[in-house]
């Protein structure tokens, strides 16, 4: 900034009050939620679409095992909140079913936290991810209707102890789904395209006509191409992932056949005053009213030409037998658009920081205001965590600067994606990878053939809103507390020798006071509606697998006498209680509190100690 610019900023701070201080940040209330143009081609009732999306997001029946929902890994401020069997463990560096403790963090431990060249006391390739399904093969839809039929697929490497399998764990930490609608693209590596093509996350890489449209009694295969729809692209990933939600080998039409016939959330309690599902909530306590099926919601939400045909079709042109309805065939389209519509309501724009930005100078304490200045100044955080979204990977940034921007040393990279040196590039190359169609995830790589790219080991800059509740942090979940994160930045990152570091990643020499202020500031980014799960963050009951039973230390208890599942360990279950629009009396537990078991006396919500009531 030149001298005149600096004077201007000083003047604005002097005369403009809080609003002027927050110039490159600001209130999220001023940012409009991105909308997909031409959505009306598919959707006829937005309210029905949101209700469908909320039900699908929280419904345990969507997982092959009739247990794993999207929410299983996104129930706590939009992220995960479990400590047992959460390690992705490629080289068996930890025992499967391990329970994390405060001592395990940070994963990369130095003798001097201020010096990334000091003696390494510990390092590990593990990541703190999220437990999904057992490794199983899909045979067919289950006779019970609420789960798929399958069988244990033999020993799951890195996810078994003594021949008994634990649930598999994702290779990366689960980010929050709250405010994710503001990202131009989603996932840590950006692979969920802003263009939704109806079936896979990869946008224009997927050239196929993925849906069937009816016209004059004829069904025609049609290509879907919706812009501003990264969350729809994202949502069609997990249901077919054999780590997250699916037995290996199920297909979208099969999932559609099972789900469309079901009563939404049949196993789970839904609050009569749920902000979206309340009017449909069953009176006998669980699920929606018996007259509702998923097919009914699909018919209410979507244009008839995508479901009204009575012709039966084959799952794929090559596979002969015509077993599926048009609605079942098009289920991925419905699923993606409905989940996206629900997630677009998960906007937390009323933190104390938002109020401060809107001019309420008393909304932040003196310490938090000092933290804000460090965040924008000597901390260099706003090089990347910029805008009301606290991420340069936002729609706002991409509209201003384009999807590709100059990076360091004459390279170009995707806007808002940076390498900060959390792990060596070889451990996870992030943005520098290719999709199922062989195309790069990186827009910079696609659009700038021949240019020098700064994408190796780069990850999407995550929002910092509600970060108080979404630990552990970074794509590998290797830091438990915000203090540890600030120490990481203060020493200029961990793995710096691989290069391609983003601007601002260098030793900061922040005083302990500055560091404490930064942490305090980040905690002012929490929205009380998230803290207490008030509307729109209220939700149905959920039962989550939270580790496995052991007969003796390191000896897992097998699940059941069921011969199909002889290799599966018995689950421990934890309840995430139902909550209506007015929210909980107690605030959410933080990850540091979870690690030490604080708040089980009722002073915190989601302590993972309540027993499940799901049948
Ligand atoms: C087994 C745990 C698990 C399940 C189940 C799961 N997710 Fe995720 N989710 C993750 C992980 C891990 C990531 C990050 C993966 C990555 O970026 O490579 C993620 C990423 C996301 C993101 C991107 C956020 C961002 O900042 O990029 C969204 C949105 C999301 N999930 C929504 C969903 C939806 C919708 C479903 C159900 C269809 C779902 N998740 C099911 C674990 C899970
Ligand atoms: C060069 C860009 C850049 C700068 C500068 C930067 N960050 Fe980050 N930040 C990122 C990226 C990218 C990630 C994800 C990195 C990963 O997981 O590998 C991240 C992750 C985080 C996280 C973890 C969030 C989560 O959900 O896991 C926090 C907290 C954070 N940054 C705070 C800060 C603070 C405080 C500063 C200033 C001291 C700062 N960042 C400076 C780009 C940056």
């Amino acid at each position: 900034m030149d001298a005149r610019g600096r004077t201007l900023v000083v003047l604005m701070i002097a005369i403009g009050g809080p609003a002027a201080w927050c110039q490159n940040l600001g209130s999220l209330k001023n940012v409009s939620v991105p909308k997909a143009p031409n959505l009306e081609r598919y959707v006829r009732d937005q309210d029905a679409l949101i209700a469908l999306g909320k039900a699908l997001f929280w419904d345990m029946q969507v997982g092959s095992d009739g247990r794993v929902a999207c929410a299983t890994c996104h129930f706590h401020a939009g992220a995960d909140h479990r400590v047992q069997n959460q390690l992705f463990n490629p080289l068996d560096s930890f025992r499967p079913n391990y329970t994390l403790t405060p001592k395990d963090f940070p994963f990369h431990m130095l003798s001097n936290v201020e010096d990334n060249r000091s003696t390494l006391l510990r390092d590990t390739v593990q990541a703190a991810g999220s437990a999904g399904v057992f490794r199983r093969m899909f045979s067919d839809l289950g006779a019970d209707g609420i789960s798929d039929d399958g069988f244990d697929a033999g020993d799951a490497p890195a996810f078994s102890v003594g021949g008994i399998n634990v649930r598999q764990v994702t290779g990366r930490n689960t980010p929050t789904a709250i405010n994710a609608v503001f990202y131009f693209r989603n996932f840590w590596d950006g692979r969920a395209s802003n263009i939704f093509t109806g079936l896979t996350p990869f946008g224009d890489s997927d050239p196929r006509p993925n849906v069937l449209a009816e016209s004059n009694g004829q069904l025609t295969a049609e290509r879907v191409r919706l812009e501003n729809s990264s969350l729809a692209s994202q949502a069609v990933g997990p249901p077919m992932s054999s780590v997250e939600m699916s037995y290996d080998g199920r297909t979208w039409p099969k999932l559609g056949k099972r789900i469309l016939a079901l009563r939404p959330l049949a196993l789970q309690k839904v609050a009569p005053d749920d902000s979206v599902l309340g009017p449909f909530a069953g009176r006998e306590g669980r699920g929606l009213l018996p007259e509702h099926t998923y097919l009914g919601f699909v018919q209410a939400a979507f244009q008839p030409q995508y479901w009204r045909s009575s012709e039966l079709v084959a799952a794929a042109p090559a596979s002969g037998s015509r077993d599926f309805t048009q609605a079942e065939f098009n289920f991925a389209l419905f699923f993606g658009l409905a989940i996206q519509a629900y997630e677009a309501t998960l906007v937390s724009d009323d933190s104390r920081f938002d109020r401060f930005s809107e001019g309420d100078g008393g909304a932040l304490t003196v310490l938090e205001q000092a933290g804000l200045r460090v965040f924008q100044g000597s901390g260099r955080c706003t090089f990347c965590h910029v805008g009301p979204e606290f991420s340069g990977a936002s729609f706002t940034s991409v509209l201003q600067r384009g999807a590709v921007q100059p990076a360091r040393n004459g390279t170009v990279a995707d806007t808002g994606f940076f390498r900060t040196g959390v792990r060596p590039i070889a451990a996870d190359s992030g943005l520098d990878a290719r999709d199922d169609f062989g195309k790069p995830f990186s827009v910079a790589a696609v659009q700038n053939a021949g240019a020098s790219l700064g994408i190796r080991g780069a990850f999407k800059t995550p929002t910092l809103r509600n970060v108080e509740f979404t630990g552990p942090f970074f794509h590998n979940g290797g830091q438990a507390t915000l203090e540890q994160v600030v120490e990481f930045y203060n020493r200029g990152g961990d793995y710096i020798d691989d290069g391609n570091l983003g601007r601002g990643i260098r030793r900061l020499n922040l005083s302990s006071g500055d560091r404490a202020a930064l942490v305090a500031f980040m905690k002012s980014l929490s929205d009380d509606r998230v803290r207490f799960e008030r509307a729109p963050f209220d939700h149905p009951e959920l039962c989550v697998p939270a580790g496995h039973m052991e007969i003796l230390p390191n000896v897992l208890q097998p699940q059941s006498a069921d011969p199909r599942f002889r290799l599966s360990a018995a689950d421990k279950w934890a309840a995430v209680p139902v909550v209506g629009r007015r929210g909980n009396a107690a605030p959410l537990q933080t990850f540091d509190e979870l690690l030490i078991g604080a708040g089980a006396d009722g002073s915190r919500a989601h302590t993972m100690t309540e027993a499940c009531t799901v049948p």
Side-chain angles (χ1 to χ4, degrees), residues 56-57 62 68-74 78 80 82 129-133 168-178 180-181 183 185-192 230-231 234-239 241 243-245 252 335 339-340 343 428 460-463:
L56 286 171
F57 188 93
V62 176
V68 177
C70 300
T72 300
C73 305
H74 293 280
D80 199 354
R82 296 177 284 172
S130 286
V133 287
Q168 303 166 96
V169 180
T170 60
R172 293 183 184 146
N173 187 249
T174 301
T176 180
I178 295 176
V181 68
Y183 294 121
R185 290 180 294 150
N186 271 279
F187 282 132
W188 284 108
D189 52 21
R191 70 187 183 281
S230 168
L231 285 178
Q234 190 286 325
V236 295
S241 156
V243 171
E244 292 184 325
M245 300 180 83
W252 274 106
F335 189 92
I339 295 264
Q340 167 161 278
E343 287 174 331
D428 189 338
K460 176 165 66 63
T461 306
T463 182

Side-chain angles (χ1 to χ4, degrees), residues 145-323:
I146 62 169
S147 66
D148 295 338
D149 197 3
F151 56 93
D152 284 333
D155 213 28
F159 295 110
S160 80
V161 187
I164 301 293
N165 294 339
V166 299
R167 286 175 182 271
Q168 303 166 96
V169 180
T170 60
R172 293 183 184 146
N173 187 249
T174 301
T176 180
I178 295 176
N179 300 324
V181 68
F182 294 106
Y183 294 121
F184 183 61
R185 290 180 294 150
N186 271 279
F187 282 132
W188 284 108
D189 52 21
R191 70 187 183 281
S193 172
N194 60 307
I195 310 283
F196 179 51
T197 44
L199 188 65
T200 55
F202 308 118
D204 281 337
S205 288
D206 183 346
R208 299 169 297 181
N210 286 323
V211 304
L212 291 175
E214 191 265 8
S215 157
N216 300 325
Q218 290 287 331
L219 284 177
T220 321
E222 190 180 272
R223 188 154 192 265
V224 177
R225 193 175 187 284
L226 279 168
E227 288 174 33
N228 303 357
S229 293
S230 168
L231 285 178
S233 297
Q234 190 286 325
V236 295
M240 295 301 133
S241 156
S242 58
V243 171
E244 292 184 325
M245 300 180 83
S246 176
Y247 296 165
D248 200 0
R250 82 168 167 180
T251 60
W252 274 106
K254 284 269 183 196
L255 179 60
K257 186 178 277 304
R258 185 161 69 75
I259 298 296
L260 288 170
L262 287 175
R263 185 156 67 94
L265 298 158
L267 306 171
Q268 298 158 254
K269 288 184 189 151
V270 181
D273 67 339
D274 183 288
S275 58
V276 173
L277 300 171
F280 313 104
R283 278 179 280 279
E284 74 291 2
R286 286 184 194 278
L288 304 190
L289 289 162
E291 62 263 34
H292 293 294
T293 61
Y294 275 115
L295 180 61
F297 276 100
V298 163
Q299 291 176 339
F302 288 93
Q303 303 287 6
Q305 62 266 36
Y306 293 97
W307 50 260
R308 81 178 147 212
S309 168
S310 52
E311 198 181 319
L312 288 181
V313 297
S319 79
S321 65
R322 295 170 163 259
D323 294 334

Side-chain angles (χ1 to χ4, degrees), residues 173-176 188 374-375 378-385 416-423 457-464 467 470-477 481-482 485-486 488-490 501-505 508 510 518-519 521-522:
N173 187 249
T174 301
T176 180
W188 284 108
V374 178
F375 193 83
S378 53
R380 296 158 185 269
C381 313
T382 44
F383 284 1
C384 310
H385 298 280
F417 287 72
F418 301 96
R419 176 160 191 267
T420 57
V422 170
R423 295 289 302 153
F459 291 88
K460 176 165 66 63
T461 306
T463 182
L464 301 179
V467 74
T470 59
F473 304 111
F474 293 149
H475 73 269
N476 70 334
T481 66
L482 291 172
V485 169
V486 169
F488 165 92
Y489 282 110
N490 198 41
L501 291 171
R503 203 162 67 96
I505 303 302
L508 299 173
L510 299 176
L518 258 185
V519 170
F521 168 66
M522 285 193 272

